[in-house]
Amino acid sequence: MSTEYSGKTNGAGRTAGEKTPAVAESESSESATTPSPADASKAPRFEVMTQYIRDLSFENLAAQNYVSAEVRPDLSVEVKVDARTRAKDRYEVILNLSVSAKADDQAIFLLELDYGGQFLIENIPDEQLHPLLMVECPRILFPFIRRLARDLTAESGFPPLNIETIDFLRLYRQQLAESSA
């Protein structure tokens, strides 16, 4: 998707009433390029309809397995993206976050979070729809799932978990390469 911006300016040294030939020409042809209401309905549209926690599970096993505060746990973070059509021009994208923390082969906590968003997407070419759903939609949802993970770990007595930014475009390209191989 590309967006074009155009503006009109007078040439240097001209008064406000004077117009350059290019501006005069563009004004005369402007009515010919103004989109009609029918064309406006074909314009690409992308809108976040809603966001929500779809499923959440947090298991705090530290007290059960007694882990001292000095232990630095090994973290395993996994993120998956799933997208599906819900209705005409409406799509659901789910980010699945799974984080497990272990120390000395003892589980400390397990966080599983499915965070979803519903998007209205109209008049997007088919070849651009899949990347939009698998790259751009997760980029929009990611800051919210990151904040939830940080808050859940902090409220459970652990240091806040700050998940680094995920490059969804790189992950998408890796997935395409794996599926074509």
Side-chain angles (χ1 to χ4, degrees):
M1 290 176 18
S2 65
T3 306
E4 274 186 40
Y5 294 97
S6 61
K8 298 176 188 170
T9 59
N10 285 341
R14 298 200 184 342
T15 63
E18 292 181 278
K19 297 184 171 101
T20 63
V23 170
E25 181 181 321
S26 70
E27 284 181 349
S28 67
S29 65
E30 188 172 300
S31 61
T33 60
T34 303
S36 69
D39 291 338
S41 68
K42 293 181 181 179
R45 185 171 172 202
F46 177 80
E47 185 178 324
V48 179
M49 302 301 290
T50 186
Q51 297 182 68
Y52 47 90
I53 296 173
R54 185 169 175 218
D55 190 23
L56 171 63
S57 173
F58 188 89
E59 296 180 41
N60 185 343
L61 305 167
Q64 175 179 326
N65 294 334
Y66 183 73
V67 178
S68 74
E70 294 85 36
V71 172
R72 302 211 33 101
D74 293 322
L75 292 174
S76 171
V77 178
E78 184 178 348
V79 176
K80 295 179 186 173
V81 179
D82 185 29
R84 47 181 76 112
T85 305
R86 286 295 175 202
K88 183 181 183 311
D89 298 328
R90 294 188 188 260
Y91 300 86
E92 179 182 47
V93 176
I94 302 292
L95 278 181
N96 174 273
L97 173 69
S98 179
V99 180
S100 63
K102 292 183 179 184
D104 301 325
D105 292 329
Q106 298 260 341
I108 298 174
F109 72 80
L110 176 62
L111 167 64
E112 293 176 340
L113 174 59
D114 289 351
Y115 190 81
Q118 292 202 12
F119 298 86
L120 174 67
I121 303 173
E122 295 176 331
N123 303 318
I124 301 291
D126 288 342
E127 65 273 2
Q128 293 177 1
L129 183 60
H130 194 254
L132 181 66
L133 290 170
M134 301 304 283
V135 177
E136 294 306 319
C137 293
R139 281 184 189 170
I140 292 170
L141 298 175
F142 181 74
F144 299 96
I145 199 169
R146 170 196 255 173
R147 180 186 50 82
L148 285 166
R150 182 191 67 225
D151 292 350
L152 283 167
T153 54
E155 292 294 326
S156 298
F158 300 102
L161 175 64
N162 188 22
I163 301 170
E164 292 188 28
T165 302
I166 296 173
D167 184 353
F168 289 101
L169 179 59
R170 182 180 57 78
L171 292 176
Y172 179 72
R173 287 178 177 162
Q174 280 178 342
Q175 180 188 20
L176 288 179
E178 289 173 6
S179 65
S180 68

